[in-house]
Amino acid sequence: QVQLVESGGGSVQAGGSLKLSCAASGYTYSSYLMGWFRQAPGKEREGVAGIYIGGGSTYYADSVKGRFTISQDNAKNTLYLQMNSLKPEDTAMYYCAARSGGTIAPMYPADFGYWGQGTQVTVSS
């Protein structure tokens, strides 16, 4: 059974940093495409960053380019999202997601079959 467990969310002031983690289990981690999504109240879930676990190619939404970095630790089966220069508009529930194969972009939530429970990120001005 595939399991994704996020951690690392919290509350920070604008300009601060947070690092999210997603521990994966229950499948062949290296064969998947994984990503981070976020959903703010009243808004649709959007893809923030994605990575091919086997190849390392990455994707970033324009809104986070240059500020967020997605990475992986294959030995720990863990996905990360380093978030720097955080803005109030980054406030959302952040979700880790995984899919087998497919293209790294665009990141449509419906294409991802496995999801974590989410971790809240709140950025105050």
Side-chain angles (χ1 to χ4, degrees):
Q1 182 178 358
V2 176
Q3 284 192 323
L4 302 173
V5 180
E6 302 101 331
S7 60
S11 298
V12 295
Q13 290 189 327
S17 298
L18 283 173
K19 186 173 185 178
L20 306 183
S21 299
C22 173
S25 63
Y27 61 96
T28 305
Y29 178 75
S30 62
S31 66
Y32 275 66
L33 187 161
M34 297 192 70
W36 290 96
F37 290 78
R38 66 185 181 187
Q39 187 166 19
K43 295 188 176 181
E44 293 186 352
R45 191 169 297 190
E46 63 171 345
V48 173
I51 187 169
Y52 278 118
I53 296 302
S57 298
T58 58
Y59 160 84
Y60 294 96
D62 288 342
S63 58
V64 305
K65 279 181 182 177
R67 300 188 299 121
F68 289 12
T69 302
I70 190 170
S71 63
Q72 57 179 313
D73 185 331
N74 287 345
K76 296 181 178 180
N77 281 7
T78 302
L79 181 73
Y80 302 100
L81 185 68
Q82 177 67 48
M83 304 185 295
N84 298 327
S85 302
L86 283 161
K87 305 175 181 180
E89 51 264 44
D90 294 318
T91 295
M93 185 71 79
Y94 282 71
Y95 298 90
C96 172
R99 61 178 293 187
S100 178
T103 57
I104 199 169
M107 288 178 61
Y108 296 125
D111 292 334
F112 286 73
Y114 305 103
W115 292 86
Q117 81 288 353
T119 186
Q120 178 68 37
V121 172
T122 302
V123 184
S124 57
S125 58

